[in-house]
Amino acid sequence: MVTGTAAGAGVVAAVDTVRDQAWEVAAAVPDPELPMLTLADLGVLADVEVDGGSGAVTAWLTPTYSGCPAVAEMAADVDRRLRAAGYPDVRVRLRLDPPWSTDLITAEGRRKLAAAGIAPPRPGGAAPAGRGPVPLTLGPARTGTATAAPVACPHCGDADTEELSRFGSTACKALWRCRACREPFERVKEI
Amino acid sequence: MHDHTTPATSTTTQAATSTATSGTEDDHVYLSLAEAAPGPEGEGRWAYGTGFADPLLGVDTALPAGLDGADLAAYCLMLGDDALILAQRLIEWCTRAPELEEEVALANLGLDLLGQARLLLTRAGQADGTGRSEDDLAYWREEHEFRNVRLVETPNGDFAYSIARLLLFATTRGVLYEALSAHPDPVLAAVAARGVKELAYHREYATAWTLRLGDGTPYSAERMQAGLDAVWPLLEELFTAHPVERRVGVDPAELREPVLRALGAVVAEAGLTVPDVPPLATVLGRAGRDGVHTEALGPLLAELQVVARAHPGATW
């Protein structure tokens, strides 16, 4: 309960600090499949709450794809790291609503993906997914010719790239190739 | 005879030694994984069997007022079984697809459906009050207890048949999930809301191959048309309501118009013909939603369930 007294404000501030510290611990957990990204970069860490009375920490995760096999490892890692950081009472919960979207990947996350040779998803590109009709054309898969923004090669930066396969090594990635430097690369596809 | 109370460690050993070539080194690897004390940096990452594998971990499982638990469970089983059985058919393409990229694609689609099935079966076990887990429901039910439509269980056939089946299923399921995104059960609504986005990729994939084959060579068009012709008799069942669907879900009859319109557009664009075939007969009006299946489901389940039944209660 927040009160107007100085003591009450102090309690609220203390809980906020504890909450921020717990958030930092959970936010630093790496993604099991894209370890260059943290769960916060990926937008999987939805929230962290600390109970002002008991000090219990609850971390909320939003799973990516329905079939993502890494969810259990993420939850176990968050639990383990928080306990190792000294929080004795930790709960990890899944939050299914709203669903995860690549729009939740932070700017820092996109930068890290590109630095690791994985083309990041287009910002805001997830909005139309799943709505409206499926395109009835077999247009060229190369970017620059389609209406969507071009995908830059994460190796050489050239925009003359093409999709080889929409499905790749993990549920969230597609396989692409740069036609300038000829290197193949993976791309996180919008969802 | 397996002892159901076997401790986890010896079950692990049993599982390891049951693979023909494993010896003591493999046993050691399995045991060390199972017994590894997890460290703060996540070495010893081994989440399975830790309780974190629950696909609805910590999600509020209370039933919304006005929803009948038995009906909701039956409905989740219907949708979950559709996804589970088609996932099994899709991953049968592993090592058999025309190209590696298609194999990876089909396995990816199967993985999405498997994930949806895990959530839906888990929800079913909660909603009916039995507390059965996803594994209990996937591995320990018999053929007549599965509630999937027959469309998803028929053998894969050739690539064109599998693509045609995927086109019909993904189109219908996409429209259904859009409607279910507003369902009063928050778990079902959340599964549907995420599923809409996944199913869009499935529709795109099936549509692209239908166009490529239909608008390809005369021979590829002939094969794609044959695939559509063969799968089309199973479509009607997707629009035929079971009483449970009417009570707690979306009446599948409402899907008929938008689905047929979408399918018709794809088929026309591919230069093919919408098949004019009668629906597959039912048994006194009963079909997949009533647990009445084709002869293809039994062997599929035998393969799906054999490991779980050979090692009851195994953990690893």
Side-chain angles (χ1 to χ4, degrees):
Chain A
M1 192 71 175
V2 179
T3 70
T5 67
V11 168
V12 171
V15 170
D16 280 352
T17 308
V18 172
R19 186 266 176 198
D20 289 347
Q21 286 168 349
W23 168 274
E24 291 302 324
V25 173
V29 174
D31 177 72
E33 288 184 337
L34 299 167
M36 72 295 280
L37 263 69
T38 67
L39 296 188
D41 293 334
L42 201 55
V44 162
L45 184 64
D47 201 2
V48 174
E49 289 173 6
V50 178
D51 186 288
S54 67
V57 179
T58 307
W60 302 85
L61 304 183
T62 298
T64 56
Y65 282 72
S66 298
C68 178
V71 177
E73 294 187 42
M74 292 177 183
D77 273 359
V78 168
D79 182 89
R80 188 180 302 145
R81 293 256 187 148
L82 281 167
R83 287 180 197 281
Y87 300 93
D89 187 0
V90 177
R91 286 166 207 146
V92 182
R93 300 276 181 261
L94 300 183
R95 179 176 287 175
L96 303 180
D97 179 38
W100 184 79
S101 153
T102 40
D103 289 345
L104 293 172
I105 300 178
T106 63
E108 175 68 2
R110 289 167 199 276
R111 190 193 62 72
K112 287 179 182 172
L113 277 172
I118 300 172
R122 298 181 183 98
R131 304 287 169 190
V134 166
L136 289 177
T137 51
L138 281 176
R142 287 174 213 164
T143 57
T145 55
T147 51
V151 171
C153 170
H155 304 298
C156 73
D158 203 284
D160 187 10
T161 58
E162 63 184 344
E163 183 182 81
L164 295 179
S165 174
R166 189 150 300 167
F167 301 90
S169 58
T170 66
C172 55
K173 285 182 288 187
L175 188 59
W176 283 60
R177 173 168 60 193
C178 176
R179 290 165 49 80
C181 72
R182 313 302 294 172
E183 284 291 324
F185 63 91
E186 290 189 303
R187 183 174 103 78
V188 175
K189 60 195 179 194
E190 296 82 15
I191 192 164
Chain B
M1 212 36 207
H2 290 287
D3 177 1
H4 289 223
T5 60
T6 307
T9 46
S10 60
T11 315
T12 318
T13 315
Q14 194 176 52
T17 49
S18 69
T19 50
T21 55
S22 65
T24 51
E25 277 191 21
D26 285 343
D27 293 353
H28 176 72
V29 169
Y30 277 94
L31 288 173
S32 64
L33 279 169
E35 290 168 356
E41 296 307 312
E43 62 267 22
R45 272 195 191 138
W46 199 249
Y48 292 96
T50 58
F52 290 105
D54 177 0
L56 289 175
L57 177 68
V59 172
D60 184 6
T61 57
L63 279 179
L67 266 189
D68 182 78
D71 271 354
L72 179 63
Y75 190 53
C76 287
L77 265 191
M78 292 173 178
L79 303 186
D81 285 347
D82 288 345
L84 176 66
I85 301 302
L86 186 54
Q88 181 76 7
R89 283 297 183 212
L90 285 168
I91 58 178
E92 283 176 14
W93 276 104
C94 285
T95 74
R96 297 185 177 96
E99 291 185 355
L100 182 61
E101 285 79 2
E102 305 320 316
E103 182 171 312
V104 171
L106 292 165
N108 263 275
L109 305 187
L111 183 63
D112 286 343
L113 293 175
L114 185 62
Q116 293 165 19
R118 292 187 58 196
L119 290 155
L120 290 164
L121 294 188
T122 302
R123 186 58 175 154
Q126 293 168 348
D128 69 5
T130 62
R132 283 179 293 178
S133 71
E134 48 174 327
D135 285 356
D136 294 334
L137 289 166
Y139 296 130
W140 296 98
R141 280 181 301 151
E142 303 301 325
E143 193 179 333
H144 66 273
E145 296 172 283
F146 278 77
R147 291 291 180 264
N148 57 280
V149 291
R150 295 173 299 175
L151 172 73
V152 297
E153 73 197 28
T154 55
N156 275 336
D158 62 7
F159 188 71
Y161 181 91
S162 285
I163 290 298
R165 184 227 306 268
L166 187 63
L167 180 70
L168 268 51
F169 180 82
T171 304
T172 311
R173 186 53 48 110
V175 176
L176 175 63
Y177 276 167
E178 280 200 37
L180 284 178
S181 301
H183 194 272
D185 179 46
V187 176
L188 183 52
V191 172
R194 189 165 50 174
V196 165
K197 304 201 290 181
E198 292 168 351
L199 266 293
Y201 276 108
H202 300 204
R203 288 172 66 185
E204 269 188 42
Y205 179 81
T207 298
W209 267 112
T210 304
L211 297 179
R212 201 173 284 129
L213 293 171
D215 198 18
T217 66
Y219 183 58
S220 72
E222 183 187 313
R223 294 284 293 268
M224 191 64 231
Q225 184 68 54
L228 288 170
D229 291 348
V231 82
W232 216 267
L234 293 153
L235 181 60
E236 181 63 26
E237 191 179 340
L238 273 58
F239 308 139
T240 308
H242 184 278
V244 162
E245 293 173 292
R246 281 210 197 88
R247 285 200 297 269
V248 77
V250 170
D251 185 343
E254 293 171 18
L255 307 177
R256 180 192 303 270
E257 193 277 328
V259 168
L260 286 180
R261 182 157 33 86
L263 291 176
V266 175
V267 172
E269 186 66 28
L272 301 171
T273 311
V274 173
D276 182 19
V277 289
L280 184 67
T282 58
V283 179
L284 301 174
R286 297 163 71 219
R289 293 286 188 241
D290 307 288
V292 176
H293 294 283
T294 68
E295 62 272 23
L297 184 61
L300 179 149
L301 289 177
E303 187 167 299
L304 187 147
Q305 296 174 332
V306 62
V307 175
R309 291 184 175 209
H311 303 281
T315 58
W316 62 89

